[in-house]
Amino acid sequence: MWYVYVLVSLTSGKLYVGITQHLERRIHEHNDGKSKFTSGHMPWRLIYFEELPDTQSARDREKYLKSAAGKRFLKKFLGSAGSLPD
């Protein structure tokens, strides 16, 4: 199983979209400073994820969520749940 996930920086409010097969481990890696981009915006909190059957599906969904349409989807979906910072 693959996961596409969205993190929010608790210090800067920035969003990060990524894919992994090991969701909990990957979040810990982000919060341990093991990713170049995310190390400058720690700590991170998981705010959204989807399970996908294979790598290509996960990559396609990640690409969508990083697009303008995907950002609108996240803003609408997460904003209605009160999880997305202004």
Side-chain angles (χ1 to χ4, degrees), residues 24-83:
E24 284 187 40
R25 181 177 73 195
R26 189 65 180 129
I27 294 166
H28 287 294
E29 289 171 353
H30 285 296
N31 282 316
D32 288 341
K34 295 182 180 179
S35 173
K36 187 174 179 178
F37 172 79
T38 60
S39 66
H41 303 278
M42 295 185 303
W44 293 90
R45 180 172 54 108
L46 178 68
I47 58 172
Y48 182 79
F49 73 93
E50 296 176 13
E51 292 182 5
L52 296 149
D54 55 56
T55 310
Q56 191 58 53
S57 298
R59 287 188 190 280
D60 291 346
R61 188 64 174 162
E62 176 189 31
K63 186 175 179 179
Y64 169 74
L65 291 176
K66 289 180 175 181
S67 72
K71 288 177 184 175
R72 284 192 301 271
F73 164 80
L74 286 171
K75 191 168 214 163
K76 181 179 177 185
F77 182 82
L78 299 171
S80 66
S83 298

